[in-house]
Structures are given as C-alpha cells and as structure tokens.
C-alpha cells in the first residue's frame, strides 16, 4: 500500500453479489484484513457461545440479527485491527443505517473513518440464479459456485477436503426473503454513503476477474489521494 496509509473499506451488495469472493482476492493484493460479520457470527455458533445460540434462529431464517447483538462484536474486531495498525475490508457489515451510524461514531472516536464503499450492483433475477449454484465448506466457510467458481475436486473444499453444502440460508425461498430484507434495510445505505461522497458502484454481473479489476482501480485511486 502506498506509504503506510491505512484505509477502511466496506463491500456493499446483495447476497450473491460476490462480496466474499472479491474480499478474498483483494486481501491478497492489499494489506487489509477481511472481516465478514457472517463469518464472525458463524464462528460464534460453531463455538457454541451464548451469542452463537442467540443468532442461530435469525440466521437460518435469512433474517437480520438484531443490531444490538451484532454491532458490538463486529466493531470490537474492527477496533482491534485498527489499533494494531491494519485497515479493514468489511463484508456484510454494516447492514442497517443504525449499524452504519454506530460504526462511524466509533471510528471517529479513534480518528479513523470509512474511506470507500464498494457497491456491488446486481439485478434481483441474477441474484436468485447465482445463489442456486452456491456451495459452502461447513468447516472453513469458504464459498464456491458450481459454475462460476467451482472447487478443484467435485464438491470438496480445496483446503479442508470436506464435502460442500448448501447453507440453509442459501435455499431459494430464504434467498428471496434475504433479497427483500436487503432492499428494505441495507440498500438505503447506498444513499447514506453517496451523501458522504464515498460510494463507488461496480457492475456485479460482470465476470469475477472483471469485477476484481474494477475494484482494484477504485482502491488504487483511494490510495493515491
Ligand atoms: P452473510 O454471510 O453475510 O450472508 O450473513 C449471514 C447471516 O448472518 C445474515 O443473513 C444475517 O442473519 C447474519 N448477519 C451477518 N451480518 C449481519 C449484520 N451486519 N447485521 C445483521 N445480521 C447479520
């Protein structure tokens, strides 16, 4: 990264837009830490914590976990990375205006801010189509796509060699509910960040490589400023 500039980015976009896939590629190129709120919550569930128990029902139904359950745990992780000198690439957080405002307020206290929001734009019809092919590793959480991003060996995670599954919240009826929730609660964040002048929209119907290239161009510009 140019000099030692620390930047913080948010990946915004509906389920299936490729936030996790792009995040994994971007952290190979930039010294950013990928923080996925979904992964953080899934880890709490696997560890059987109280929080994990509390969020299970919402997650499996494709509903948003209440702000008071998710905000604190995610913001604490963000602060930890920043105090250790690393910028973050947020994936799945914030998802409501309340979360975005709390995040801004907490970052402001430690003299940081969100520098750019990459908005992965994908039409609803394409979301449903994409989610049907999505498979995840039940062990490490890595996400594959049967057509766009298949594993090396049929239906096995490249790293864990564990059989891939379709997450309960990736089933079509749940996906449709998640899209409605996205439109209602998360899409308004585009306006929120646009008003701050930090929203960068990328066409997420392009290929994975093209999307990565477009995001790289945006990040490089942010780093130059
Ligand atoms: P994801 O892996 O980002 O699709 O998240 C999976 C699920 O975790 C979501 O459908 C929500 O139930 C929950 N979740 C993740 N991030 C958040 C968030 N920022 N706010 C509320 N719920 C969240």
């Amino acid at each position: 990264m140019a000099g030692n500039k620390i930047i913080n980015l948010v990946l915004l976009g509906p389920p299936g837009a490729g936030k996790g896939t792009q995040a994994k590629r971007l952290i190979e190129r930039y010294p950013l830490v990928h923080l996925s709120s979904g992964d953080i919550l899934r880890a709490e569930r696997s560890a059987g914590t109280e929080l994990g128990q509390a969020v299970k029902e919402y997650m499996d139904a494709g509903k948003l976990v209440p702000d008071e359950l998710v905000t604190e745990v995610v913001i604490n992780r963000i602060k930890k990375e920043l105090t250790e000198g690393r910028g973050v690439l947020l994936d799945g957080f914030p998802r409501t205006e309340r979360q975005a405002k709390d995040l801004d307020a907490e970052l402001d206290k430690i003299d940081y801010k969100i520098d750019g929001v990459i908005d992965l734009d994908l039409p609803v019809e394409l979301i449903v189509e994409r989610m049907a092919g999505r498979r995840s590793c039940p062990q490490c959480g890595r996400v594959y796509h049967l057509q766009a991003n298949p594993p090396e060996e049929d239906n096995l995670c490249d790293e864990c060699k564990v059989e891939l599954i379709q997450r309960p919240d990736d089933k079509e009826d749940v996906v449709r509910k998640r899209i409605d929730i996205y439109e209602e609660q998360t899409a308004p964040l585009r306006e929120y960040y646009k008003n701050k002048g930090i929203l960068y929209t990328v066409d997420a119907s392009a290929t994975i490589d093209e999307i990565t290239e477009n995001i790289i161009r945006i990040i490089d510009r942010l780093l130059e400023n």
Side-chain angles (χ1 to χ4, degrees), residues 41 51 54-59 63-74 93 95-96 98-99 102 185:
L41 296 176
L51 175 64
V55 299
K56 181 177 186 309
E57 205 183 301
Y58 298 99
M59 291 178 77
K63 292 184 186 155
L64 290 191
V65 167
D67 292 337
E68 56 274 22
L69 291 180
V70 67
T71 300
E72 193 180 336
V73 64
V74 178
F93 185 92
R95 255 189 171 85
T96 63
R98 180 75 265 147
Q99 291 176 12
D102 285 345
Q185 308 213 42

